[in-house]
Amino acid sequence: MSQDMSDDKLPQAHGAGEGHGEVAAADNPFADPGLPPHEPRRTDIDERAAKRAERQVSLLFIVSMLATVGFIASYVAIDPAKIVYIFPLGHISALNFALGMTLGVALFCIGAGAVHWARTLMSDVELPAERHPIEADDEVRADVIQQFKTGAGESGFGRRKMIRNTLIGSMALVPLSGVVLLRDLGPLPGTSLDTTAWKEATPTTPIRLINVNTNLPMKAEDIAVGSLTFAKPGPSALRPDGLQESDEDFQQVIAKSALMLIRIQPSDIKDAKSAALGFEGVLAYSKICTHVGCPISLYEQQTHHALCPCHQSTFDLSDGARVIFGPAGHPLPQLKITTDASGYLIATQDFDLPVGPSFWERNA
Amino acid sequence: MSSSASAKTAAPASTRAKPANKAEAAADYLDGRLGIYSLAKSNLRKIFPDHWSFMLGEICLYTFIIIILTGVYLTLFFKPSMGEVVYNGSYAPLNGIRMSEAYASTLNISFEVRGGLLIRQIHHWAAIVFVAAMFVHMMRVFFTGAFRKPREINWIFGFLLLFLGFFDGFLGYSLPDDLLSGTGIRFMEGAILAVPLVGTYISFFLFGGEFPGTDIVPRFFTIHVLLIPGVMLGLLVAHLILVFYHKHTQWAGPGRTEKNVVGMPLMPVYMAKAGGFFFLVFGIIAAMSAIASVNPVWAYGPYRPDQVSTDAQPDWYMGFAEGLIRVMPGWEIRAWGHTLNLGVFIPLMLFPLVLVLIAVYPFIESWITGDKREHHILDRPRNAPVRTALGAAWISLYLVLLSGGGNDLIATHFHLSLNDITYFVRAGSFIVPVITYFVTKRWCLGLQRRDKEKVLHGRETGVIKRLPHGEFIEVHAQLPQDKLHTLTSHEQYEPVELPAEVDENGVARKVGLLTKTRAKLSEGYFGEHGQITKPTAEEHHEITSGHGHH
Ligand code: FES
């Protein structure tokens, strides 16, 4: 591939064939004049300056010692609960501040001392050292290749094809056992992503909607037009007390079943199907964003837009939670709700779509 | 030492001369077991060139050490468990609240363990500085061409360290199981689910079932403290061995060639400076941690999948990924009973792709130049305009996406429309890098031209002289030879030419697409618009020998 690239296209290697300094300068003003002579520092020639530098270095080390003592003293003496006001930082933990500052000073002064010492008192004469090419010369190269060939020949690796091929085969397969061992990391997904805790709800065994804040069932008239309420599943056959925070699987269930309830004037609802899933303008949407699953928490009552704080996907709740901005790919799932005999809001079936971020097997 | 006369008799012990003191004796002891003298022979006075930008790599190394030290301390107190507890501790606002043991022990570290908060802060601050320093260090290596042969492999090692650093940072951020970190994990779940075919399976195996389950924190903990740091430590050692083996690069200058390295010896100057610098870095980070609080997890509360805090932001180095995900339109393809979530999957793929392009750049460039020689003298960025422009374009893309990742903050701070920022970022991701590329390239060429001017006509002195016939001129002073040398010592490649269309026998020659691409690229790099030809000694001679050069 590189046969079209002859070496004469490469630039002259830097510094090649240049003598040192003045001789070359006569005909080549760009020639390398060689290392400049060393310029002595103040501390190199003035013993008083050197002594001063020495004292400065030691002073830094002494400050470091004092700071370490201060660190230990703060650790022992300061109450961890103590809050102090320090301008301009505000109210902060006294212990954290004292420990951090003393440790900082203790470490910094060691460093500053060492660097100051190196800069003022240690020699600053620049020395050249030779580089050796990384590549071996041809003789070494030939020798190594010969050795390798001898070794390979003695193993018979190239000659005994059957051994070679079966070795490659076994080496290729054996890592599979490692992969197989990972299988028990978790259960297979099955269809679990398609359903939520609301799936138990049927017209004969409905599930009540429970207000997340009050832990009480809700009636349609509790929800004011333009307000946003959050709800969770109430008692069901499997969970007679409803979903409680103390339930072992609370996090997992709430991650899919959380509801967002809003009420819109029925005449303002643009999507007929969505209106039918709701009850007198009360609509129950999944609170989990269909982008990557953040809970949606910002609602603008004028426009009925709900905004996800994570990546700002915006859904029009008056229009079937259609995505009107941002990276989400499909509308929020909606839960069909109605009321029971005592007027409480209930669900009679699961969401119309799988909740949360989309996945390969999702079929809707 | 070697003059020991007793050597010829069969001495019962070593043939070596008596050590002069205890320290020598100890060294002799070690040498007999570890061979330290041979090791130290060429290394004690090994030469290190000095330049402020070389300390960027040192900051990476030192912050890595600080992260490991503080990390070990934190593991002594942290409980990587998602078991539920009711908090009952000294942070009153969360008393009686249900949370995971992970979060409770993080609160415990912050409020009950004396100095625990400080160590947590140092750990987090050091991680932030670590990634930032790796970024800037990598830029330094990129813009100076220090990645060229023989250092391409070390570039890859460094790149892997950066990549792993990102991930370990993300995992560490996820461990306290506070509201913010839980949101980050949820994001990760969504991203994994977007992978076609296997996404759901990976997600279930990772979380041990449905999100969030109870396994993720202990699993992340092992990966965060053991797996990734282990791999990073190995890479880091390899990286440093190679740095040592290749020796440092250096800037062009008088006395500096491709065949030498000019600087100060390891012992004592470099040891003192580098060793001291470790303490400087550590000290500054400790003071920063005393003053500025990062990630106050107690303010967010424990994670609950149905709650979120409004400033859901990742650490800045993930901001570029966050930007990609925020500005991507929500494309979804549904067919044959399956869903392909392009809106998440494309950013998920672009994130590593953008990085991998940087990883392979050394190989692309060396293919274009066809240069197989070793390089130890650094390029000034202006002398490699196309490379510099590409780097600048990449940085501009990063910044555009970062502003996409912080679009909500920008919107609230500058009272802009969030939607407008997102539209701008969408378009800007394509336009801004192109503009940056051209501007940077022109700028580099301008600087090259100025160098040439300086070499040929000297430096402006600010002295105005009146010539006998009344004209005013500014006196230009000849540059000294070392300056002339420094300004003209860079290399200039010539573009590859395509072979003639017919060969010497008049038969049409086949020119492969690859060869053609290479010629095109090479023309772009080194053609007329890619560089300014260097002044030659003859040109200089001609101008300086004439009268009244100005
Ligand atoms: S999770 Fe809601 S916009 Fe990304």
Side-chain angles (χ1 to χ4, degrees):
Chain A
M1 175 188 340
S2 61
Q3 84 281 14
D4 50 333
M5 183 67 178
S6 55
D7 275 351
D8 55 80
K9 293 288 179 204
L10 296 180
Q12 278 294 317
H14 166 72
E18 278 165 9
H20 258 281
E22 312 78 44
V23 191
D27 41 61
N28 181 6
F30 302 162
D32 182 357
L35 273 183
H38 174 241
E39 304 254 356
R41 293 161 299 185
R42 184 100 199 263
T43 42
D44 290 332
I45 40 180
D46 179 356
E47 186 50 26
R48 286 226 318 278
K51 271 269 174 318
R52 193 177 329 120
E54 188 183 352
R55 277 195 304 274
Q56 285 163 344
V57 172
S58 293
L59 182 69
L60 283 165
F61 291 151
I62 291 169
V63 172
S64 165
M65 288 188 240
L66 292 177
T68 301
V69 173
F71 179 89
I72 298 170
S74 322
Y75 188 90
V76 177
I78 301 180
D79 176 5
K82 188 163 177 194
I83 303 291
V84 288
Y85 181 81
I86 294 175
F87 181 81
L89 310 175
H91 291 277
I92 54 171
S93 152
L95 181 63
N96 187 61
F97 183 74
L99 290 179
M101 286 320 273
T102 48
L103 182 64
V105 171
L107 294 165
F108 188 91
C109 286
I110 294 180
V115 171
H116 194 50
W117 180 10
R119 292 176 68 108
T120 52
L121 295 171
M122 292 179 187
S123 157
D124 73 334
V125 181
E126 284 199 312
L127 305 168
E130 240 179 277
R131 280 182 203 275
H132 306 286
I134 308 279
E135 280 166 355
D137 58 33
D138 288 346
E139 205 180 309
V140 173
R141 179 178 180 274
D143 188 35
V144 169
I145 289 179
Q146 188 47 48
Q147 284 186 25
F148 181 81
K149 284 197 176 136
T150 312
E154 283 171 11
S155 76
F157 192 76
R159 221 166 352 108
R160 303 191 192 279
K161 292 263 163 24
M162 191 158 71
I163 293 188
R164 191 195 64 188
N165 294 346
T166 48
L167 173 66
I168 294 174
S170 57
M171 295 286 277
L173 282 186
V174 82
L176 270 184
S177 11
V179 177
V180 168
L181 281 175
L182 294 176
R183 164 63 188 86
D184 274 353
L185 278 172
L188 294 182
T191 56
S192 44
L193 288 182
D194 294 332
T195 58
T196 70
W198 298 102
K199 67 172 180 285
E200 277 185 72
T202 63
T204 47
T205 56
I207 297 183
R208 278 184 180 166
L209 275 54
I210 304 291
N211 186 315
V212 178
N213 297 320
T214 61
N215 239 334
L216 296 170
M218 296 183 282
K219 294 191 170 173
E221 50 269 34
D222 298 342
I223 302 169
V225 174
S227 72
L228 180 70
T229 318
F230 299 123
K232 61 179 183 176
S236 64
L238 277 181
R239 225 182 275 274
D241 295 334
L243 181 64
Q244 298 296 335
E245 248 196 273
S246 50
D247 291 353
E248 213 192 310
D249 57 351
F250 173 79
Q251 298 273 30
Q252 223 157 295
V253 174
I254 200 74
K256 283 197 307 191
S257 309
L259 278 190
M260 165 166 74
L261 291 176
I262 47 139
R263 186 168 197 158
I264 301 176
Q265 289 297 354
S267 57
D268 287 349
I269 301 180
K270 295 177 205 143
D271 185 280
K273 187 177 150 240
S274 169
L277 290 174
F279 176 79
E280 291 176 0
V282 180
L283 306 178
Y285 286 108
S286 162
K287 195 188 174 186
I288 307 302
C289 181
T290 56
H291 180 223
V292 292
C294 273
I296 293 165
S297 57
L298 305 169
Y299 175 59
E300 201 185 34
Q301 43 164 285
Q302 314 289 319
T303 57
H304 308 299
H305 292 171
L307 177 96
C308 174
C310 287
H311 318 103
Q312 294 90 35
S313 289
T314 312
F315 303 87
D316 185 350
L317 301 188
S318 65
D319 191 10
R322 194 167 55 86
V323 185
I324 51 170
F325 179 76
H330 61 272
L332 295 172
Q334 194 176 351
L335 188 71
K336 180 173 166 52
I337 52 168
T338 177
T339 50
D340 60 13
S342 19
Y344 289 114
L345 289 170
I346 52 167
T348 54
Q349 65 187 56
D350 204 344
F351 283 100
D352 58 341
L353 296 170
V355 164
S358 37
F359 48 95
W360 178 246
E361 292 85 353
R362 183 173 173 275
N363 184 15
Chain B
M1 256 196 290
S2 55
S3 64
S4 169
S6 62
K8 58 180 184 292
T9 63
S14 162
T15 52
R16 207 175 246 160
K18 271 247 157 9
N21 54 34
K22 285 256 169 59
E24 269 186 28
D28 284 351
Y29 178 89
L30 287 181
D31 184 51
R33 277 109 195 130
L34 305 171
I36 58 166
Y37 287 144
S38 324
L39 263 181
K41 192 178 151 212
S42 50
N43 291 333
L44 262 187
R45 296 284 286 175
K46 189 181 164 69
I47 296 297
F48 284 86
D50 210 7
H51 188 264
W52 66 265
S53 66
F54 294 161
M55 81 183 176
L56 294 167
E58 285 181 51
I59 299 182
C60 302
L61 173 66
Y62 300 151
T63 44
F64 186 76
I65 295 172
I66 296 169
I67 292 169
I68 291 194
L69 288 178
T70 49
V72 169
Y73 179 90
L74 292 173
T75 58
L76 301 178
F77 300 97
F78 181 67
K79 294 195 186 68
S81 149
M82 291 174 97
E84 293 246 323
V85 290
V86 175
Y87 180 69
N88 189 0
S90 52
Y91 187 64
L94 288 176
N95 262 336
I97 301 237
R98 279 185 177 277
M99 56 183 64
S100 64
E101 279 190 88
Y103 186 59
S105 66
T106 309
L107 293 178
N108 183 45
I109 290 172
S110 305
F111 295 112
E112 259 119 289
V113 175
R114 281 178 286 172
L117 179 59
L118 179 69
I119 301 295
R120 240 198 79 220
Q121 301 278 311
I122 294 181
H123 192 69
H124 201 139
W125 266 121
I128 290 172
V129 176
F130 176 53
V131 179
M134 283 199 288
F135 247 113
V136 186
H137 173 60
M138 203 158 165
M139 277 186 220
R140 198 277 292 173
V141 171
F142 181 87
F143 284 117
T144 59
F147 54 76
R148 290 172 298 169
K149 188 186 172 188
R151 297 183 177 79
E152 302 99 319
I153 295 173
N154 225 14
W155 170 263
I156 297 283
F157 285 168
F159 166 79
L160 290 174
L161 280 165
L162 178 73
F163 205 72
L164 290 172
F166 278 162
F167 277 99
D168 220 30
F170 175 74
L171 294 180
Y173 183 84
S174 303
L175 287 181
D177 204 26
D178 58 298
L179 195 50
L180 213 51
S181 79
T183 307
I185 298 185
R186 177 96 219 200
F187 167 90
M188 199 193 67
E189 190 227 357
I192 292 174
L193 284 179
V195 178
L197 286 172
V198 291
T200 19
Y201 290 84
I202 299 178
S203 165
F204 270 63
F205 291 166
L206 183 68
F207 286 88
E210 276 189 61
F211 175 89
T214 53
D215 291 337
I216 197 70
V217 164
R219 282 182 186 173
F220 271 17
F221 180 72
T222 310
I223 301 173
H224 174 74
V225 305
L226 188 68
L227 182 61
I228 296 186
V231 176
M232 287 180 81
L233 198 65
L235 281 171
L236 188 82
V237 170
H239 193 75
L240 290 179
I241 289 178
L242 278 182
V243 168
F244 213 74
Y245 184 59
H246 291 146
K247 303 196 171 92
H248 272 54
T249 49
Q250 60 189 352
W251 290 101
R256 283 144 216 258
T257 70
E258 289 283 14
K259 300 210 166 54
N260 73 5
V261 48
V262 176
M264 312 231 209
L266 171 67
M267 175 155 173
V269 180
Y270 192 76
M271 256 183 194
K273 276 196 186 169
F277 194 57
F278 167 74
F279 288 94
L280 289 183
V281 171
F282 204 163
I284 289 172
I285 289 182
M288 255 156 60
S289 308
I291 295 168
S293 131
V294 55
N295 203 12
V297 289
W298 54 88
Y300 308 139
Y303 179 57
R304 256 184 62 167
D306 62 335
Q307 287 172 3
V308 69
S309 77
T310 36
D311 57 342
Q313 291 279 337
D315 270 337
W316 65 269
Y317 46 85
M318 280 285 169
F320 135 61
E322 176 85 355
L324 275 170
I325 202 106
R326 283 189 185 194
V327 303
M328 182 72 199
W331 296 340
E332 235 172 57
I333 300 177
R334 244 153 305 169
W336 300 293
H338 289 291
T339 301
L340 183 56
N341 184 359
L342 291 175
V344 179
F345 189 60
I346 290 179
L348 190 69
M349 292 294 98
L350 278 179
F351 176 61
L353 193 76
V354 174
L355 292 171
V356 164
L357 274 181
I358 299 169
V360 297
Y361 182 80
F363 305 98
I364 298 175
E365 196 186 288
S366 77
W367 176 61
I368 294 171
T369 58
D371 188 349
K372 305 259 177 338
R373 301 164 306 165
E374 284 185 18
H375 290 277
H376 302 289
I377 297 274
L378 295 171
D379 281 337
R380 292 172 85 198
R382 67 181 63 174
N383 289 332
V386 174
R387 180 203 293 150
T388 306
L390 285 173
W394 185 86
I395 293 173
S396 73
L397 175 65
Y398 177 87
L399 291 176
V400 168
L401 288 174
L402 190 68
S403 59
N407 55 359
D408 46 348
L409 293 182
I410 298 178
T412 49
H413 279 72
F414 299 103
H415 306 286
L416 293 170
S417 148
L418 186 94
N419 301 22
D420 290 347
I421 300 171
T422 301
Y423 294 134
F424 166 79
V425 173
R426 279 183 189 165
S429 315
F430 296 94
I431 299 169
V432 174
V434 175
I435 296 177
T436 315
Y437 176 87
F438 285 109
V439 170
T440 314
K441 195 169 143 192
R442 295 205 71 133
W443 190 7
C444 288
L445 291 175
L447 288 170
Q448 277 194 31
R449 242 179 247 121
R450 209 164 76 192
D451 280 351
K452 185 171 182 173
E453 185 78 0
K454 248 202 256 175
V455 165
L456 293 179
H457 301 284
R459 166 179 66 80
E460 292 164 8
T461 55
V463 177
I464 307 290
K465 193 164 99 178
R466 191 174 177 191
L467 296 181
H469 58 271
E471 188 195 344
F472 288 98
I473 56 153
E474 183 178 1
V475 178
H476 283 228
Q478 258 309 310
L479 294 184
Q481 195 190 345
D482 58 341
K483 276 269 157 48
L484 287 177
H485 169 71
T486 310
L487 287 180
T488 54
S489 58
H490 57 283
E491 306 200 337
Q492 290 200 310
Y493 294 86
E494 279 171 53
V496 183
E497 275 158 37
L498 279 181
E501 279 185 12
V502 285
D503 64 14
E504 32 313 333
N505 302 325
V507 182
R509 199 197 301 255
K510 270 225 188 91
V511 181
L513 188 64
L514 217 55
T515 317
K516 279 191 192 147
T517 317
R518 181 166 170 236
K520 275 252 164 56
L521 287 172
S522 166
E523 175 66 30
Y525 268 73
F526 310 114
E528 237 182 293
H529 303 289
Q531 59 187 355
I532 306 288
T533 35
K534 284 204 290 193
T536 60
E538 291 76 57
E539 272 179 280
H540 182 264
H541 206 67
E542 211 164 287
I543 289 175
T544 46
S545 62
H547 306 288
H549 59 273
H550 51 87

